[in-house]
Amino acid sequence: MTTFLLEREDFPALLKTLTDAGYQVIAPTVREGAIVYDEIESIAELPIGYHDEQEAAFYRLHPTKDKALFSYVVGPQSWKRFLHPPEVRLWQAKRVEGGMEIVPNTQAVPRYAFVGVRACELHAIAIQDKIFMQGEFVDPIYQARREAALIVAVNCGVAGGTCFCASMHTGPQVTSGFDLALTEVLEDGRHYFVVEVGSDTGKELWKDVPHRKAKPEEAAAAQHIIEHTAAHMGRELDIDGLPEIITRKIESPRWETIAQTCLACANCTMVCPTCFCNTIEDVTDLTGGSAERIRKWDSCFTMDFSYIHGGSVRYSTKARYRQWLTHKLATWVEQFGTLGCVGCGRCITWCPVAIDITAEAAAIRQSDDGKGK
Amino acid sequence: MDTKTLEPILAEHPFFKDLKPEYLSILVGCASNVRFEANEMIFQHGGPADKFYIIRHGEVAIEVHDPRRHVIRIQTLRDGDVFGWSWMFAGRSSHFDARALILTRAIAMDGECLRGKFNNDHSLGYEMMLRFTPVIIRRLEAASMQLLDIYK
Amino acid sequence: MTANPMLPEPFRIRKVQKESYDTFTLELEPLNRPDPFLFKAGQFNMLYVFGVGEVPISISGDPHHPETLIHTTRAVGTVTKAMRQLKTGDVMGIRGPYGTSWPVDRAEGYDVVIVAGGIGLAPLRPSLYHVLEHRDKYGKVVLLYGTRSPDDILFRKELERWRSRFDLEIYVTVDYANPGWRGNVGVVTNLIPKAPFDPLHTMAMICGPEVMMRFTAIELLKRGVEAPNIYLTMERNMKCGIGFCGHCQLGESFICKDGPVFALPEMQERLNQWEV
């Protein structure tokens, strides 16, 4: 496979190429002490020289000694907010003579170029593709945004404290699903990117970016960085036989133990890049002449989520945590052919009470099946 | 009526299916043929509970009174069904009313007589408990479901 | 590009029929669609009341008469209560039909036992229509129907008409009744031991509250009906009907697309787990 070399000083040319091609560049940037994904206009808006320290219920940004562009991992947001927006209008309806008229959402489809997409996130996007585009029904909103989007991936040069992609086989090296993929190298006073082209679109764009072929030693340096990252994961999760084990332990007393701590705050589902659940709000204007339907992210941790006439099916926190974890690490496999977790660690970092999915999965594995003695 | 003629009738009833003939001969001594006209009370709540009944032909309602809702019917029984449990212990009274809805022919088994036979022959008593208990359990399950008011 | 599955289609209410104090039937016809609204017995639609909201409701009409779309529902939530206020001529939105159907084809050559509880008769009525339309393809056909009280019995006139047929056995029972009621009193499961069907050659279809379905399945199994020949229909919260919203998950199943009709072996374990 051919890899190319992009010098650090030519990075702005990459961004310009994307902008010139009509893309809205979305990339990591620092806001309120965290790295978020938003539109950037220049390279200066990237979190240059920042490193993120992550632990369960802990996130801090620290300055680094160098000027690396990507020496951090993932923040509280994921790309799903652009492809499956937190709130989107599905359609509008008007009362007309003799009935009602439904008007589909005609908002322009944004053309995003996502810069800095990590391996775990590519897997998360592939998972949401299955949900919204590869079943019997296709979500036209997701599909339009997804098909218009360009992905510039980045191989992780460091592993975060809550990362466990290596054990989920979802990283840290990007393998597919990108248009361009970069590995950032800083060594011996040099700062460059080793670049892989992953699609025809990527190939076309790449022509306009100043580059040369990477030398074998440069490609090797990049590969070494990825291997180093893989060897320094903050966490691990043993997935061997896990779906069957969790399914069998549905009555395990461990669920009750977790429920003693869990606040059912839904943070884990909001930060999760694969969680897709949503709800509907139908609203009218004051005259009652027009109405619209809004789709919003929802969470299986809310009481209303499972409401049917008479009450909520999962009324206890225990049942709701069990649903979430069981879905991620067991039932997802039968639904979509993969686990629903990509090992990004966000749910661990952003849980206000430090519940750790890797620790809980291990505890469930070890626990009694709760089927009585 | 000669109780001897009841023996084949009992033997045919599913409740006594495969019961040893010698046990059947003992039990028949406690049995009597009864007949209730439409709307006739079979037993009333508060009255002595000293019999259980095996319906041959007819229809029986189990009812309870409530000052606000008057008579509430909680179960109807037909051919082949059995009812009445309070006889198992001496001195109990009925908690419900049982009323024939149409002309009903049944066999009444006398509770005091049965208790006597079971005391004399514990194996017979045990055999009969094995037959009564499933009917009681079924009734309890049905009562629990009614209590849940699942269609609400 | 495929049709947008999120857009409701306008249907006009042709008739509103009160079934009981809280249950009603809507007869609808499409406003724009040239083709009839084909569906399979057991499938459901998402019904939208302008500005109020959308709910999943099973189709209760006859699959052989797709020119009229029929829904029967109870007014228990915001949307269904608003729906009850609608009148002939009003327009509402429909998306569907969605979900799996009753095994009316698999049941050919078998006795058919339909066990309904309360409003559960509505989703089963299309399968009864189908079986009666192709009556010679089936063995005995038995309907066991339980409700809370005689006032809750749905489709009374139709039940009376069916009862006069010689090729259909109907048993109705209520949980409680005043003495004016001439029929059975007791839970619907009580009807199973004596119902006239051959358990070894029976296809059973159950719809009702989950507790009722659980006990009904137990009774059918006791009678000797094989688990794969017992079908039931599950209910969970549903926002989209097409597998996107995640609300209707029950274990690995999405009730909207893997159900609502399931064979018992798919659900047997779930029926005995709480809060799943």
Side-chain angles (χ1 to χ4, degrees):
Chain A
M1 179 188 46
T2 316
T3 53
F4 302 97
L5 191 111
L6 173 72
E7 293 291 350
R8 159 64 181 83
E9 52 269 31
D10 291 326
F11 197 93
L14 170 62
L15 296 185
K16 185 168 183 305
T17 303
L18 299 175
T19 315
D20 290 349
Y23 289 104
Q24 187 182 349
V25 175
I26 310 290
T29 190
V30 176
R31 188 174 303 152
E32 294 172 18
I35 290 170
V36 299
Y37 295 148
D38 207 345
E39 183 168 12
I40 63 161
E41 282 167 6
S42 79
I43 190 169
E45 292 175 73
L46 288 174
I48 299 173
Y50 276 106
H51 173 69
D52 50 355
E53 183 186 1
Q54 300 199 32
E55 255 311 319
F58 185 92
Y59 182 96
R60 296 287 184 280
L61 288 182
H62 301 297
T64 53
K65 291 188 189 105
D66 56 42
K67 294 285 178 196
L69 306 189
F70 298 103
S71 63
Y72 43 87
V73 290
V74 296
Q77 296 178 345
S78 65
W79 307 99
K80 86 172 173 186
R81 66 181 294 103
F82 299 98
L83 298 174
H84 171 43
E87 188 170 323
V88 67
R89 189 171 67 209
L90 298 182
W91 45 257
Q92 287 174 291
K94 276 186 298 190
R95 279 191 200 281
V96 293
E97 186 64 33
M100 69 169 94
E101 191 188 345
I102 310 245
V103 187
N105 195 358
T106 49
Q107 285 158 335
V109 177
R111 281 185 82 211
Y112 295 124
F114 300 142
V115 174
V117 182
R118 309 306 175 103
C120 61
E121 300 185 308
L122 286 176
H123 281 270
I125 291 169
I127 284 172
Q128 292 216 325
D129 287 351
K130 286 190 184 175
I131 296 159
F132 293 118
M133 288 168 47
Q134 292 164 17
E136 185 188 346
F137 298 98
V138 172
D139 172 1
I141 293 173
Y142 182 92
Q143 185 185 38
R145 288 166 173 253
R146 176 70 176 96
E147 287 177 349
L150 181 97
I151 292 177
V152 179
V154 166
N155 284 308
C156 288
V158 287
T162 55
C163 288
F164 56 102
C165 65
S167 45
M168 304 305 287
H169 312 300
T170 54
Q173 179 151 27
V174 303
T175 51
S176 64
F178 57 87
D179 296 287
L180 295 171
L182 323 177
T183 308
E184 185 175 34
V185 183
L186 286 97
E187 59 174 20
D188 307 330
R190 291 188 62 203
H191 188 174
Y192 60 88
F193 296 88
V194 172
V195 181
E196 210 182 308
V197 175
S199 73
D200 292 343
T201 314
K203 197 171 169 184
E204 273 307 302
L205 290 165
W206 189 236
K207 286 180 188 164
D208 298 334
V209 183
H211 67 270
R212 62 168 165 81
K213 273 192 181 166
K215 293 175 189 159
E217 59 270 28
E218 290 161 344
Q223 197 53 42
H224 176 75
I225 286 169
I226 298 166
E227 280 159 19
H228 183 266
T229 303
H232 290 81
M233 286 284 136
R235 296 270 194 293
E236 64 184 311
L237 199 160
D238 178 7
I239 57 170
D240 183 34
L242 194 57
E244 297 73 25
I245 291 166
I246 291 175
T247 304
R248 204 167 64 234
K249 307 239 177 156
I250 195 145
E251 306 296 346
S252 161
R254 181 69 196 182
W255 302 114
E256 189 54 53
T257 312
I258 307 169
Q260 302 288 323
T261 309
C262 176
L263 308 173
C265 72
N267 262 20
C268 48
T269 53
M270 296 295 108
V271 298
C272 177
T274 69
C275 272
F276 60 89
C277 289
N278 56 79
T279 189
I280 289 300
E281 270 181 28
D282 283 294
V283 289
T284 45
D285 66 1
L286 285 174
T287 67
S290 67
E292 58 182 15
R293 175 166 298 167
I294 309 289
R295 181 169 76 182
K296 291 179 167 181
W297 285 359
D298 200 0
S299 169
C300 55
F301 278 94
T302 69
M303 186 67 118
D304 277 354
F305 188 86
S306 62
Y307 182 85
I308 48 177
H309 167 63
S312 292
V313 174
R314 293 185 281 271
Y315 53 87
S316 69
T317 301
K318 166 189 149 183
R320 285 177 261 155
Y321 187 86
R322 182 176 69 184
Q323 166 62 22
W324 180 72
L325 187 127
T326 305
H327 190 207
K328 289 284 153 197
L329 298 177
T331 51
W332 206 294
V333 177
E334 278 185 68
Q335 294 174 346
F336 302 109
T338 66
L339 291 171
C341 173
V342 295
C344 73
R346 286 181 177 92
C347 59
I348 306 172
T349 301
W350 299 97
C351 175
V353 290
I355 295 173
D356 179 341
I357 190 174
T358 64
E360 292 311 325
I364 291 292
R365 182 187 283 278
Q366 296 302 321
S367 75
D368 178 16
D369 68 10
K371 299 253 164 84
K373 291 177 178 111
Chain B
M1 182 187 278
D2 182 1
T3 55
K4 277 290 169 208
T5 63
L6 286 177
E7 205 164 322
I9 297 170
L10 286 190
E12 265 173 34
H13 195 280
F15 187 78
F16 296 103
K17 189 171 176 279
D18 298 330
L19 190 69
K20 286 188 203 165
E22 57 264 40
Y23 283 162
L24 208 58
S25 313
I26 298 172
L27 292 176
V28 92
C30 298
S32 57
N33 231 329
V34 287
R35 175 196 152 103
F36 302 98
E37 298 301 326
N39 240 356
E40 189 180 345
M41 276 295 177
I42 301 171
F43 57 71
Q44 228 169 345
H45 75 282
D50 51 6
K51 285 189 176 65
F52 95 93
Y53 297 88
I54 300 156
I55 303 174
R56 293 174 60 196
H57 308 290
E59 194 177 343
V60 172
I62 307 296
E63 295 170 340
V64 64
H65 284 260
D66 175 275
R68 289 166 303 132
R69 295 199 286 167
H70 311 293
V71 180
I72 305 161
R73 190 169 293 166
I74 53 170
Q75 194 186 16
T76 50
L77 301 157
R78 291 172 200 273
D79 304 5
D81 288 333
V82 295
F83 63 99
W85 317 112
S86 301
W87 61 270
M88 286 189 186
F89 304 93
R92 299 272 315 258
S93 56
S94 296
H95 296 156
F96 298 100
D97 293 347
R99 199 155 56 87
L101 294 175
I102 55 175
L103 173 66
T104 299
R105 295 174 197 280
I107 291 168
M109 305 289 291
D110 183 81
E112 193 181 346
C113 172
L114 285 176
R115 290 196 303 271
K117 307 276 192 207
F118 295 174
N119 271 333
N120 286 342
D121 184 342
H122 286 184
S123 295
L124 168 64
Y126 178 67
E127 177 64 36
M128 292 311 290
M129 283 305 141
L130 288 183
R131 287 160 191 267
F132 279 119
T133 317
V135 188
I136 298 172
I137 289 172
R138 176 176 282 278
R139 178 71 201 109
L140 267 175
E141 285 170 349
S144 307
M145 271 178 75
Q146 278 169 309
L147 195 70
L148 287 169
D149 204 5
I150 50 176
Y151 303 122
K152 197 166 74 181
Chain C
M1 203 169 113
T2 49
N4 186 337
M6 320 248 208
L7 298 184
E9 189 186 324
F11 274 65
R12 187 183 309 284
I13 297 173
R14 203 160 67 186
K15 192 178 167 196
V16 182
Q17 169 82 46
K18 189 178 162 155
E19 300 289 352
S20 75
Y21 58 93
D22 63 352
T23 305
F24 58 97
T25 295
L26 300 176
E27 289 186 25
L28 302 143
E29 58 191 1
L31 239 60
N32 308 326
R33 135 196 319 253
D35 326 315
F37 190 89
L38 298 174
F39 70 97
K40 293 189 189 123
Q43 288 193 297
F44 69 94
N45 281 323
M46 299 298 290
L47 272 63
Y48 171 64
V49 179
F50 190 88
V52 181
E54 198 181 45
V55 284
I57 311 270
S58 289
I59 303 169
S60 65
D62 187 341
H64 304 88
H65 290 284
E67 65 280 4
T68 308
L69 174 62
I70 302 182
H71 283 284
T72 303
T73 190
R74 269 175 88 190
V76 290
T78 318
V79 180
T80 46
K81 280 177 182 162
M83 212 178 280
R84 185 166 56 173
Q85 307 301 320
L86 297 176
K87 297 178 296 292
T88 303
D90 286 346
V91 172
M92 54 190 306
I94 300 287
R95 290 191 299 131
Y98 298 134
T100 54
S101 55
W102 295 112
V104 286
D105 295 333
R106 241 205 103 204
E108 287 180 9
Y110 286 81
D111 288 354
V112 175
V113 177
I114 291 174
V115 192
I119 186 76
L121 183 58
L124 280 165
R125 192 169 68 163
S127 66
L128 211 46
Y129 284 136
H130 180 98
V131 168
L132 294 180
E133 178 76 19
H134 307 276
R135 185 63 190 85
D136 55 331
K137 290 186 180 166
Y138 301 91
K140 294 194 182 83
V141 179
V142 183
L143 169 64
L144 309 177
Y145 180 33
T147 68
R148 193 179 187 208
S149 77
D151 293 340
D152 296 277
I153 295 169
L154 299 181
F155 314 134
R156 268 178 182 268
K157 280 188 185 148
E158 204 160 27
L159 288 174
E160 281 161 23
R161 202 161 61 240
W162 283 336
R163 194 170 246 156
S164 64
R165 289 177 70 132
F166 295 109
D167 57 357
L168 171 62
E169 299 273 350
I170 298 187
Y171 299 88
V172 179
T173 185
V174 298
D175 275 4
Y176 307 94
N178 292 323
W181 165 247
R182 307 291 312 161
N184 288 306
V185 179
V187 293
V188 70
T189 46
N190 285 350
L191 301 174
I192 294 168
K194 288 192 228 165
F197 60 88
D198 174 3
L200 294 178
H201 300 97
T202 285
M203 209 62 79
M205 309 176 198
I206 319 171
C207 184
E210 215 167 294
V211 175
M212 169 263 176
M213 294 197 291
R214 190 164 72 235
F215 283 102
T216 299
I218 292 169
E219 284 298 330
L220 289 168
L221 291 169
K222 266 197 231 166
R223 252 308 281 269
V225 182
E226 289 173 36
N229 293 350
I230 299 173
Y231 289 79
L232 42 83
T233 171
M234 303 298 292
E235 184 195 3
R236 283 294 183 270
N237 187 307
M238 225 178 257
K239 298 289 182 197
C240 75
I242 50 179
F244 296 155
C245 80
H247 282 252
C248 71
Q249 290 176 81
L250 174 53
E252 60 282 0
S253 305
F254 285 85
I255 301 300
C256 68
K257 52 178 191 173
D258 303 321
V261 177
F262 293 91
L264 181 61
E266 301 173 85
M267 277 297 138
Q268 212 158 6
E269 220 178 322
R270 298 292 178 196
L271 283 175
N272 291 301
Q273 294 167 346
W274 308 155
E275 281 196 84
V276 288

